[in-house]
Each structure stands twice: as structure tokens, then as C-alpha cells.
Amino acid sequence: QVQVVESGGGLVQAGGSLRHSCAVSGSTSVINSMGWYRQAPGKQRELVASISSRGFTNYADSMKGRFTISRDNAKNTVYLQMNSLKPEDTAVYYCKVTIIRYDYWGQGTQVTVSS
């Protein structure tokens, strides 16, 4: 069984920073891509950032320069550092990992950015 457990999130004022962590345990034979998505009320889930097993990163345009994704393969953990947060970043943030060809999702954590 694969478990994907997120931590982080919370309430922050505009311009502030938050850091998410996502730890994967269980049958983690080959973790390929790891990434973060978010879903705001009334909107579809969207990609925030992803990172391949070799460290190649991909960001949504609105997050470039503000968010940084990283991973620690020894700990099976992916991180998301979010800086210069804006009220429009308010959403539930989800971690997704791909093991071989299967996707596993975290439980989601709320991020609220006040103006």
C-alpha cells in the first residue's frame, strides 16, 4: 500500500511564504514524477509544479519565480516552497506521485492567503 501524506499549508497574509511537504511510504519501488496541484472553490484542479525523478521541473506560468519544487529521493519526499503569496493562491493543494504508471494523491491541505 502506498501512502501519500502532506503537511504544511495554513493561513498567511499576502506577500508571505509557506512550505508544503509530501512524504511517500509503502510500496515505493520506483517513484517517477512528483508534483503539486491545487483546486480553488468552483475551479478545476490545476498543475502547480512537477519534478521528475532526475530533477527536471515544470511550473505553471503563474507560479514561476514565486514557487519552488524540490525533492529528496532518499526520503521519498517532495517539497513546495511558496513565496510572494497572493489571495488568488488560496486553494486546496494536493500532492501527486507517480509510481511506475500509477498516480497516488495526498489528502490535500488548505492554503488561505488574506489580503
Side-chain angles (χ1 to χ4, degrees):
Q1 290 283 354
V2 175
Q3 289 187 316
V4 181
V5 179
E6 303 174 25
S7 60
L11 173 64
V12 66
Q13 287 187 333
S17 299
L18 286 173
R19 187 175 190 240
H20 285 286
S21 297
C22 173
V24 185
S25 61
S27 301
T28 57
S29 55
V30 180
I31 298 178
N32 295 324
S33 175
M34 306 180 85
W36 293 93
Y37 290 72
R38 71 183 187 185
Q39 188 166 19
K43 294 187 177 181
Q44 290 188 331
R45 192 172 296 187
E46 62 175 350
L47 171 71
V48 174
S50 64
I51 184 167
S52 71
S53 57
R54 296 186 178 186
F56 295 109
T57 58
N58 179 45
Y59 294 91
D61 287 342
S62 61
M63 285 68 154
K64 289 180 180 177
R66 299 190 299 125
F67 292 8
T68 302
I69 189 171
S70 59
R71 64 189 281 174
D72 184 333
N73 291 329
K75 295 181 179 179
N76 292 334
T77 300
V78 61
Y79 305 95
L80 182 69
Q81 178 67 42
M82 305 186 294
N83 298 327
S84 302
L85 283 161
K86 305 174 182 179
E88 51 263 44
D89 293 319
T90 295
V92 177
Y93 284 70
Y94 297 90
C95 173
K96 188 187 85 170
V97 298
T98 302
I99 299 176
I100 306 178
R101 66 177 186 275
Y102 299 104
D103 293 336
Y104 299 87
W105 290 87
Q107 78 277 16
T109 53
Q110 178 69 45
V111 171
T112 301
V113 184
S114 63
S115 57

